[in-house]
Amino acid sequence: MILFQLKCEHDHEFEGWFKDGATYEAQSASGELSCPHCGTVNVGKALMAPRLRTSRQKDEAAEKSSQVAMVEATKAAVAEIRKQVEGNCEHVGKKFAEEARKIHYGETEKRGIYGEASLKETAELIDEGIDVHALPWQDDIKKN
């Protein structure tokens, strides 16, 4: 689609959308174009400024591109952290809070663990002085 600024013999200006330049030429030659203000069919192209990206639009596009790059870099960093944790620590599942306490109080050997804990369990571990960190795992399953 192409947009032309049109002007009739009475200086009324208006826009017209066309499939391409040839379609405009064909409609103009056959008298199919008319002014929406006065109805005359003596219509031609008017001068029009090209649509250029303003510096603001360029800045907005650059900002969006930067944000997308930051999101992708963050996803890659989280994936690397997950790879390191899963490769070097023991998965204890829902027994995370229990195992973290055992390690903290010396009831079992000291080792890196990961698993699941509720917000309440996590808050209790922190209150006890147990160093825990929530990690933003992304599910492998896509959700709608």
Side-chain angles (χ1 to χ4, degrees):
M1 296 293 286
I2 188 167
L3 172 69
F4 288 125
Q5 186 70 25
L6 304 174
K7 186 175 183 178
C8 78
E9 64 185 332
H10 302 289
D11 290 329
H12 298 130
E13 288 197 26
F14 55 98
E15 294 178 341
W17 286 93
F18 301 91
K19 178 180 177 186
D20 52 31
T23 302
Y24 161 78
E25 295 297 334
Q27 288 182 6
S28 179
S30 67
E32 293 177 45
L33 298 178
S34 64
C35 175
H37 302 285
C38 65
T40 183
V41 294
N42 191 2
V43 173
K45 291 182 190 174
L47 287 176
M48 56 188 279
R51 256 178 221 225
L52 301 174
R53 262 191 172 173
T54 65
S55 61
R56 181 175 160 221
Q57 289 170 321
K58 288 179 186 175
D59 290 345
E60 288 171 355
E63 175 70 21
K64 184 174 182 177
S65 177
S66 173
Q67 289 173 351
V68 168
M70 188 181 304
V71 167
E72 292 304 317
T74 302
K75 285 181 182 179
V78 168
E80 181 59 27
I81 291 169
R82 182 175 188 165
K83 179 181 169 187
Q84 292 297 319
V85 168
E86 289 177 342
N88 297 299
C89 300
E90 179 186 342
H91 183 256
V92 294
K94 296 195 181 287
K95 295 182 180 182
F96 178 80
E98 178 184 338
E99 286 298 314
R101 280 188 182 92
K102 287 180 182 177
I103 293 169
H104 180 75
Y105 293 114
E107 297 171 13
T108 189
E109 79 275 3
K110 190 172 185 174
R111 66 195 191 284
I113 62 170
Y114 71 101
E116 297 128 41
S118 69
L119 289 175
K120 181 182 178 200
E121 289 172 323
T122 303
E124 290 170 351
L125 291 171
I126 292 169
D127 287 344
E128 292 178 47
I130 301 172
D131 193 20
V132 296
H133 299 282
L135 297 174
W137 275 186
Q138 289 186 358
D139 292 338
D140 293 333
I141 301 170
K142 300 269 183 190
K143 296 180 182 176
N144 290 338

